[in-house]
Amino acid sequence: DTAVSQTPKYLVTQMGNDKSIKCEQNLGHDTMYWYKQDSKKFLKIMFSYNNKELIINETVPNRFSPKSPDKAHLNLHINSLELGDSAVYFCASSQEALAIIQETQYFGPGTRLLVL
Amino acid sequence: EDQVTQSPEALRLQEGESSSLNCSYTVSGLRGLFWYRQDPGKGPEFLFTLYSAGEEKEKERLKATLTKKESFLHITAPKPEDSATYLCAVQGLQGFKTIFGAGTRLFVKA
């Protein structure tokens, strides 16, 4: 029974297209995240939602827009895809509200995006 | 600015050859330091959280230690199945971001 799931696992698309990645967690966690892992394997935070409210919004292009319909789901929509968007995108979730104590993050399997 | 540097970038060991991975960090007050393991094609998997200098945690052949400036992940008598990328991350008291290092790729040969 997968704790954090993402779809699709692979996404190959042309420049200029719009695409979405979906994430769902069944852990009952309050906080969800989107990370980007580039070719050098650095994991960088993009967004974080706590109980459907945006709490972290890093300096990412406006073409990236997260949406959280409920606290178990956090989707990522990308408009006008560019070559540099090619990377692995990971969704994660954690139990604790960020202001309280340190949280352990549980990661999904990743979505490998390739923009041609 | 919070920063995490891991060394070495890659480490090749023979089975049974113990070694350590280093994670140096700069943070404006440490909320927590995390170690994750990442296998190829998969998401990071949580290993340990350390909160304060002097703290140690163990799990099977892995032991994580923490000082005020760095953390070590000690691997005792590694096996081929320990081959993976090990990621270190910190969360500071300012803001809620978790900052990851680039990782150490560990290869253990039978």
Side-chain angles (χ1 to χ4, degrees), chain A residues 3 7 14 18 29 36 41 52 55 66 72 82 85 92 98:
Chain A
T7 54
Q14 299 288 330
D18 303 337
H29 288 170
K36 178 180 180 180
K41 304 299 182 185
K52 301 195 299 174
I55 55 172
E82 299 178 357
D85 298 333
L98 300 186

Side-chain angles (χ1 to χ4, degrees), chain A residues 31-89:
Chain A
T31 309
M32 296 184 72
Y33 313 80
W34 276 111
Y35 285 88
K36 178 180 180 180
Q37 189 172 44
D38 60 25
S39 57
K40 294 185 178 181
K41 304 299 182 185
F42 265 109
L43 263 172
K44 291 184 181 177
I45 184 76
M46 298 175 70
F47 302 103
S48 178
Y49 272 74
N50 185 46
N51 278 319
K52 301 195 299 174
E53 183 182 343
L54 182 65
I55 55 172
I56 294 176
N57 186 358
E58 283 300 286
T59 308
V60 298
N62 291 336
R63 300 181 293 103
F64 290 80
S65 54
K67 286 203 170 88
S68 182
D70 55 62
K71 74 173 192 177
H73 295 84
L74 180 62
N75 303 324
L76 183 65
H77 188 76
I78 315 171
N79 290 325
S80 304
L81 278 155
E82 299 178 357
L83 294 176
D85 298 333
S86 297
V88 183
Y89 292 84

Side-chain angles (χ1 to χ4, degrees), chain A residues 87-101:
Chain A
V88 183
Y89 292 84
F90 286 100
C91 176
S93 72
S94 66
Q95 182 173 10
E96 312 296 344
L98 300 186
I100 301 176
I101 63 174

Side-chain angles (χ1 to χ4, degrees), chain A residues 37 58 90 102-103 105 112, chain B residues 31 34 38 41 51 97:
Chain A
Q37 189 172 44
E58 283 300 286
F90 286 100
Q102 303 85 340
E103 82 284 9
Q105 295 182 25
R112 284 137 194 88
Chain B
R31 187 190 297 261
F34 308 87
Q38 186 174 21
Y51 300 116
K97 290 186 298 182

